[in-house]
Coordinates of all heavy atoms in Angstrom, one line a residue:
M1 N 14.9 -31.5 -66.3 CA 14.3 -32.6 -65.6 C 12.9 -32.8 -66.2 O 11.9 -32.2 -65.8 CB 14.2 -32.3 -64.1 CG 15.5 -32.4 -63.4 SD 15.6 -33.9 -62.4 CE 14.4 -33.5 -61.1
A2 N 12.8 -33.7 -67.1 CA 11.5 -34.0 -67.7 C 11.0 -35.3 -67.3 O 11.4 -36.3 -67.8 CB 11.7 -33.9 -69.2
K3 N 10.1 -35.3 -66.3 CA 9.4 -36.5 -65.9 C 10.3 -37.6 -65.6 O 10.1 -38.7 -66.2 CB 8.3 -36.8 -66.9 CG 7.3 -35.8 -67.0 CD 6.1 -36.3 -67.8 CE 5.0 -35.3 -67.9 NZ 3.9 -35.8 -68.7
N4 N 11.4 -37.4 -64.9 CA 12.3 -38.5 -64.6 C 11.7 -39.6 -63.8 O 12.3 -40.7 -63.8 CB 13.5 -37.9 -63.9 CG 14.5 -37.3 -64.8 OD1 14.5 -37.7 -66.0 ND2 15.4 -36.5 -64.4
N5 N 10.7 -39.3 -63.1 CA 10.2 -40.3 -62.1 C 8.9 -40.9 -62.5 O 8.1 -41.3 -61.7 CB 10.0 -39.7 -60.7 CG 11.4 -39.2 -60.2 OD1 12.4 -39.9 -60.4 ND2 11.4 -38.0 -59.6
R6 N 8.7 -41.0 -63.8 CA 7.4 -41.5 -64.3 C 7.6 -42.7 -65.1 O 8.6 -42.9 -65.8 CB 6.7 -40.5 -65.1 CG 6.5 -39.1 -64.5 CD 5.2 -39.1 -63.7 NE 5.2 -37.9 -62.9 CZ 4.1 -37.2 -62.7 NH1 3.0 -37.5 -63.3 NH2 4.1 -36.2 -61.9
G7 N 6.6 -43.6 -65.1 CA 6.5 -44.7 -66.1 C 7.7 -45.7 -66.1 O 8.2 -46.1 -65.1
K8 N 8.1 -46.0 -67.3 CA 9.0 -47.1 -67.5 C 10.4 -46.8 -66.9 O 11.1 -47.7 -66.5 CB 9.2 -47.4 -68.9 CG 8.0 -48.2 -69.5 CD 8.3 -48.6 -70.9 CE 7.1 -49.3 -71.5 NZ 7.2 -49.5 -72.9
R9 N 10.7 -45.6 -66.8 CA 12.0 -45.2 -66.2 C 12.2 -45.8 -64.8 O 13.3 -46.1 -64.4 CB 12.1 -43.7 -66.2 CG 13.5 -43.2 -66.0 CD 13.6 -41.7 -66.2 NE 13.6 -41.4 -67.6 CZ 14.7 -41.1 -68.3 NH1 15.8 -41.2 -67.7 NH2 14.6 -40.8 -69.6
L10 N 11.1 -45.9 -64.1 CA 11.1 -46.4 -62.7 C 11.6 -47.8 -62.7 O 12.3 -48.3 -61.7 CB 9.7 -46.4 -62.1 CG 9.3 -45.1 -61.5 CD1 7.9 -45.2 -61.0 CD2 10.2 -44.6 -60.4
Y11 N 11.4 -48.6 -63.7 CA 11.8 -50.0 -63.7 C 13.3 -50.2 -63.8 O 13.8 -51.3 -63.7 CB 11.0 -50.8 -64.8 CG 9.6 -50.9 -64.4 CD1 8.7 -49.9 -64.5 CD2 9.1 -52.1 -64.0 CE1 7.4 -50.0 -64.2 CE2 7.8 -52.3 -63.6 CZ 6.9 -51.2 -63.7 OH 5.6 -51.4 -63.4
K12 N 14.0 -49.2 -64.2 CA 15.4 -49.3 -64.4 C 16.2 -49.2 -63.0 O 17.3 -49.6 -62.9 CB 15.9 -48.2 -65.3 CG 15.4 -48.4 -66.7 CD 15.9 -47.3 -67.7 CE 15.4 -47.6 -69.1 NZ 15.7 -46.4 -69.9
I13 N 15.6 -48.6 -62.1 CA 16.2 -48.5 -60.8 C 15.9 -49.7 -59.9 O 14.9 -50.2 -60.0 CB 15.9 -47.1 -60.1 CG1 14.5 -46.7 -60.3 CG2 16.8 -46.0 -60.5 CD1 14.1 -45.4 -59.7
P14 N 16.9 -50.0 -59.0 CA 16.7 -51.2 -58.2 C 15.4 -51.0 -57.4 O 15.1 -50.0 -56.9 CB 17.9 -51.2 -57.3 CG 18.9 -50.4 -58.0 CD 18.2 -49.4 -58.8
S15 N 14.7 -52.1 -57.2 CA 13.4 -52.2 -56.5 C 12.4 -51.2 -57.1 O 11.4 -50.8 -56.5 CB 13.6 -51.9 -55.0 OG 13.9 -50.6 -54.7
R16 N 12.7 -50.8 -58.3 CA 11.7 -50.0 -59.1 C 11.3 -48.7 -58.3 O 10.2 -48.3 -58.4 CB 10.5 -50.8 -59.4 CG 10.8 -52.0 -60.3 CD 9.6 -52.8 -60.6 NE 10.0 -53.9 -61.5 CZ 9.2 -54.9 -61.8 NH1 8.0 -54.9 -61.4 NH2 9.6 -55.9 -62.6
G17 N 12.2 -48.2 -57.6 CA 12.0 -46.9 -57.0 C 11.2 -47.0 -55.7 O 10.9 -46.0 -55.1
R18 N 10.9 -48.2 -55.3 CA 10.1 -48.3 -54.1 C 11.0 -48.8 -52.9 O 12.0 -49.4 -53.1 CB 9.0 -49.3 -54.2 CG 7.8 -48.8 -55.0 CD 6.8 -49.8 -55.2 NE 5.9 -49.3 -56.3 CZ 4.9 -48.6 -56.2 NH1 4.5 -48.2 -55.0 NH2 4.2 -48.2 -57.2
G19 N 10.6 -48.4 -51.7 CA 11.3 -48.7 -50.6 C 10.7 -48.1 -49.4 O 9.6 -47.7 -49.4
T20 N 11.5 -48.0 -48.3 CA 11.0 -47.4 -47.1 C 11.6 -46.0 -46.9 O 12.8 -45.9 -47.0 CB 11.4 -48.3 -45.9 OG1 10.9 -49.6 -46.0 CG2 10.8 -47.7 -44.6
C21 N 10.8 -45.1 -46.8 CA 11.3 -43.7 -46.7 C 12.0 -43.6 -45.3 O 11.5 -43.9 -44.3 CB 10.1 -42.7 -46.7 SG 10.6 -41.1 -46.5
P22 N 13.2 -43.0 -45.4 CA 14.0 -42.9 -44.2 C 13.5 -41.8 -43.2 O 13.8 -41.8 -42.1 CB 15.4 -42.5 -44.7 CG 15.2 -42.0 -46.0 CD 14.0 -42.6 -46.6
L23 N 12.6 -41.0 -43.7 CA 12.1 -39.9 -42.9 C 10.8 -40.2 -42.2 O 10.7 -40.1 -41.0 CB 12.0 -38.6 -43.7 CG 13.4 -38.1 -44.3 CD1 13.1 -36.7 -44.9 CD2 14.4 -38.0 -43.2
C24 N 9.9 -40.6 -43.0 CA 8.5 -40.9 -42.4 C 8.4 -42.4 -42.2 O 7.4 -42.8 -41.6 CB 7.4 -40.3 -43.3 SG 7.3 -41.1 -44.9
E25 N 9.3 -43.2 -42.6 CA 9.3 -44.7 -42.4 C 8.1 -45.4 -43.0 O 7.7 -46.4 -42.5 CB 9.5 -45.0 -41.0 CG 10.9 -44.5 -40.5 CD 11.3 -45.0 -39.1 OE1 10.3 -45.3 -38.4 OE2 12.4 -45.0 -38.8
K26 N 7.5 -44.8 -44.0 CA 6.4 -45.4 -44.7 C 7.0 -46.5 -45.6 O 8.0 -46.2 -46.3 CB 5.7 -44.4 -45.5 CG 4.4 -44.8 -46.0 CD 3.7 -43.5 -46.6 CE 2.5 -43.9 -47.4 NZ 1.3 -44.1 -46.6
T27 N 6.5 -47.7 -45.6 CA 7.0 -48.7 -46.4 C 6.4 -48.8 -47.7 O 5.3 -48.4 -47.9 CB 6.9 -50.1 -45.6 OG1 5.5 -50.3 -45.4 CG2 7.7 -50.1 -44.4
R28 N 7.2 -49.4 -48.6 CA 6.7 -49.6 -50.0 C 6.2 -48.4 -50.7 O 5.3 -48.5 -51.5 CB 5.7 -50.8 -50.0 CG 6.3 -52.1 -49.7 CD 5.2 -53.1 -49.4 NE 4.4 -53.3 -50.6 CZ 3.2 -53.9 -50.6 NH1 2.6 -54.2 -49.5 NH2 2.5 -54.0 -51.7
I29 N 6.8 -47.3 -50.3 CA 6.4 -46.1 -51.0 C 7.5 -45.8 -52.1 O 8.6 -46.3 -52.0 CB 6.3 -44.9 -50.0 CG1 5.4 -43.8 -50.7 CG2 7.6 -44.4 -49.5 CD1 5.0 -42.7 -49.7
K30 N 7.1 -45.0 -53.1 CA 8.1 -44.7 -54.1 C 9.1 -43.6 -53.5 O 8.6 -42.5 -53.1 CB 7.4 -44.2 -55.3 CG 6.9 -45.3 -56.2 CD 6.5 -44.8 -57.5 CE 5.1 -44.5 -57.6 NZ 4.7 -44.1 -59.0
L31 N 10.3 -43.9 -53.6 CA 11.3 -43.0 -53.1 C 11.9 -42.3 -54.4 O 12.8 -42.8 -55.0 CB 12.4 -43.7 -52.4 CG 11.9 -44.5 -51.2 CD1 13.1 -45.3 -50.5 CD2 11.3 -43.6 -50.2
L32 N 11.5 -41.1 -54.6 CA 11.8 -40.5 -55.9 C 12.7 -39.3 -55.8 O 13.3 -38.8 -56.7 CB 10.6 -40.1 -56.6 CG 9.6 -41.3 -57.0 CD1 8.4 -40.8 -57.6 CD2 10.3 -42.3 -57.8
Y33 N 12.8 -38.8 -54.6 CA 13.4 -37.5 -54.4 C 14.7 -37.5 -53.6 O 14.7 -37.9 -52.5 CB 12.5 -36.5 -53.8 CG 11.2 -36.4 -54.6 CD1 10.1 -37.2 -54.2 CD2 11.0 -35.6 -55.7 CE1 8.9 -37.2 -55.0 CE2 9.9 -35.6 -56.4 CZ 8.8 -36.4 -56.1 OH 7.7 -36.5 -56.8
P34 N 15.8 -37.2 -54.2 CA 17.1 -37.1 -53.5 C 17.0 -36.0 -52.5 O 16.6 -34.9 -52.7 CB 18.1 -36.9 -54.6 CG 17.4 -36.4 -55.8 CD 16.0 -36.7 -55.6
Y35 N 17.5 -36.3 -51.3 CA 17.5 -35.4 -50.2 C 18.8 -35.4 -49.5 O 19.3 -36.4 -49.1 CB 16.4 -35.8 -49.2 CG 16.4 -35.0 -47.9 CD1 15.7 -33.8 -47.9 CD2 17.0 -35.5 -46.8 CE1 15.7 -33.1 -46.7 CE2 17.0 -34.8 -45.6 CZ 16.4 -33.6 -45.6 OH 16.4 -32.9 -44.4
R36 N 19.4 -34.2 -49.4 CA 20.8 -34.2 -48.8 C 20.6 -33.8 -47.4 O 20.0 -32.7 -47.1 CB 21.6 -33.2 -49.6 CG 23.1 -33.4 -49.3 CD 24.0 -32.5 -50.2 NE 24.0 -33.0 -51.6 CZ 24.7 -34.0 -52.0 NH1 25.5 -34.6 -51.2 NH2 24.7 -34.4 -53.3
T37 N 21.1 -34.6 -46.5 CA 21.0 -34.3 -45.1 C 22.1 -33.3 -44.7 O 23.0 -33.0 -45.5 CB 21.2 -35.6 -44.3 OG1 22.5 -36.1 -44.5 CG2 20.1 -36.6 -44.7
E38 N 22.1 -33.0 -43.4 CA 23.1 -32.0 -42.9 C 24.5 -32.6 -43.0 O 25.5 -31.9 -43.0 CB 22.8 -31.7 -41.4 CG 21.5 -30.8 -41.4 CD 20.8 -30.9 -40.0 OE1 21.5 -31.4 -39.0 OE2 19.7 -30.6 -39.9
T39 N 24.6 -33.9 -42.9 CA 25.9 -34.6 -42.9 C 26.3 -34.9 -44.3 O 27.2 -35.7 -44.5 CB 25.8 -35.9 -42.1 OG1 24.7 -36.7 -42.5 CG2 25.7 -35.5 -40.6
N40 N 25.6 -34.3 -45.3 CA 26.0 -34.5 -46.7 C 25.7 -35.9 -47.2 O 26.3 -36.3 -48.1 CB 27.4 -34.1 -46.9 CG 27.5 -33.3 -48.3 OD1 26.5 -32.7 -48.7 ND2 28.6 -33.4 -48.9
E41 N 24.8 -36.5 -46.6 CA 24.4 -37.8 -47.0 C 23.2 -37.7 -48.0 O 22.4 -36.8 -47.9 CB 23.8 -38.7 -45.9 CG 24.7 -39.8 -45.4 CD 24.1 -40.6 -44.3 OE1 23.7 -40.0 -43.3 OE2 23.9 -41.8 -44.5
L42 N 23.3 -38.5 -49.0 CA 22.2 -38.4 -50.0 C 21.2 -39.5 -49.8 O 21.5 -40.7 -49.9 CB 22.8 -38.5 -51.4 CG 21.9 -37.9 -52.5 CD1 21.6 -36.5 -52.3 CD2 22.6 -38.0 -53.9
L43 N 20.0 -39.2 -49.4 CA 18.9 -40.1 -49.2 C 17.9 -40.0 -50.3 O 17.7 -38.9 -50.8 CB 18.3 -39.9 -47.8 CG 19.2 -40.0 -46.6 CD1 18.4 -39.6 -45.4 CD2 19.7 -41.4 -46.4
K44 N 17.2 -41.1 -50.5 CA 16.0 -41.0 -51.3 C 14.8 -40.9 -50.4 O 14.6 -41.7 -49.5 CB 15.9 -42.2 -52.2 CG 16.9 -42.3 -53.3 CD 16.6 -41.4 -54.4 CE 17.3 -41.8 -55.7 NZ 16.8 -41.1 -56.9
V45 N 14.0 -39.9 -50.6 CA 12.8 -39.8 -49.8 C 11.5 -39.8 -50.6 O 11.6 -39.6 -51.8 CB 12.8 -38.5 -48.9 CG1 14.1 -38.5 -48.0 CG2 12.9 -37.2 -49.8
C46 N 10.4 -40.0 -50.0 CA 9.1 -40.0 -50.7 C 8.6 -38.6 -50.9 O 9.2 -37.6 -50.4 CB 8.1 -40.8 -49.9 SG 7.6 -39.9 -48.4
K47 N 7.6 -38.5 -51.7 CA 7.1 -37.2 -52.1 C 6.6 -36.4 -50.9 O 6.6 -35.2 -50.9 CB 5.9 -37.3 -53.1 CG 4.8 -38.1 -52.5 CD 3.7 -38.3 -53.6 CE 2.6 -39.2 -53.1 NZ 1.6 -39.4 -54.1
N48 N 6.2 -37.1 -49.8 CA 5.8 -36.3 -48.6 C 6.9 -35.6 -47.9 O 6.7 -34.7 -47.2 CB 5.1 -37.3 -47.7 CG 3.9 -38.0 -48.3 OD1 3.1 -37.3 -49.0 ND2 3.8 -39.3 -48.1
C49 N 8.1 -36.1 -48.1 CA 9.2 -35.6 -47.3 C 10.1 -34.8 -48.1 O 11.2 -34.3 -47.6 CB 10.0 -36.8 -46.7 SG 9.1 -37.8 -45.7
R50 N 9.8 -34.5 -49.4 CA 10.8 -33.8 -50.2 C 11.0 -32.4 -49.8 O 12.0 -31.8 -50.1 CB 10.5 -34.0 -51.7 CG 9.2 -33.1 -52.1 CD 8.9 -33.3 -53.5 NE 7.5 -33.2 -53.6 CZ 6.8 -33.0 -54.8 NH1 7.5 -33.0 -55.9 NH2 5.5 -33.0 -54.9
Q51 N 10.0 -31.8 -49.2 CA 10.1 -30.4 -48.9 C 10.9 -30.1 -47.6 O 11.3 -29.0 -47.4 CB 8.7 -29.8 -48.6 CG 7.7 -30.2 -49.7 CD 7.8 -29.4 -50.9 OE1 8.7 -28.6 -51.1 NE2 6.9 -29.6 -51.9
K52 N 11.1 -31.1 -46.8 CA 11.8 -30.9 -45.6 C 13.3 -30.7 -45.7 O 13.9 -31.2 -46.6 CB 11.6 -32.1 -44.7 CG 10.1 -32.2 -44.3 CD 9.9 -33.5 -43.4 CE 8.4 -33.6 -43.2 NZ 8.1 -34.9 -42.5
Ligands
ZN101 ZN1 8.7 -39.9 -46.4

């Protein structure tokens, strides 16, 4: 994993990696980290929530 979430690469994903974090509900934050919930759902969360 070499800097997957930096620079131009962000522009390739829909909405350029930004959205509302499902955990902290902060809007227009970059959702860069995949997070698997207990129900095996894959969510994208912001950097603040990646440790949870
Ligand atoms: Zn968050």
Side-chain angles (χ1 to χ4, degrees):
M1 286 254 291
K3 296 191 179 179
N4 277 338
N5 298 321
R6 305 269 170 142
K8 284 186 181 168
R9 196 173 279 264
L10 278 179
Y11 288 76
K12 292 179 181 172
I13 36 185
S15 71
R16 297 178 182 173
R18 282 176 201 270
T20 305
C21 176
L23 297 187
C24 63
E25 299 190 336
K26 197 172 165 79
T27 55
R28 292 168 62 201
I29 200 169
K30 281 194 261 182
L31 304 176
L32 300 179
Y33 305 94
Y35 170 84
R36 198 172 288 280
T37 63
E38 291 156 19
T39 53
N40 220 26
E41 253 184 301
L42 200 59
L43 300 172
K44 289 279 199 172
V45 300
C46 71
K47 61 183 174 185
N48 300 315
C49 301
R50 72 181 146 165
Q51 313 282 3
K52 292 179 187 173

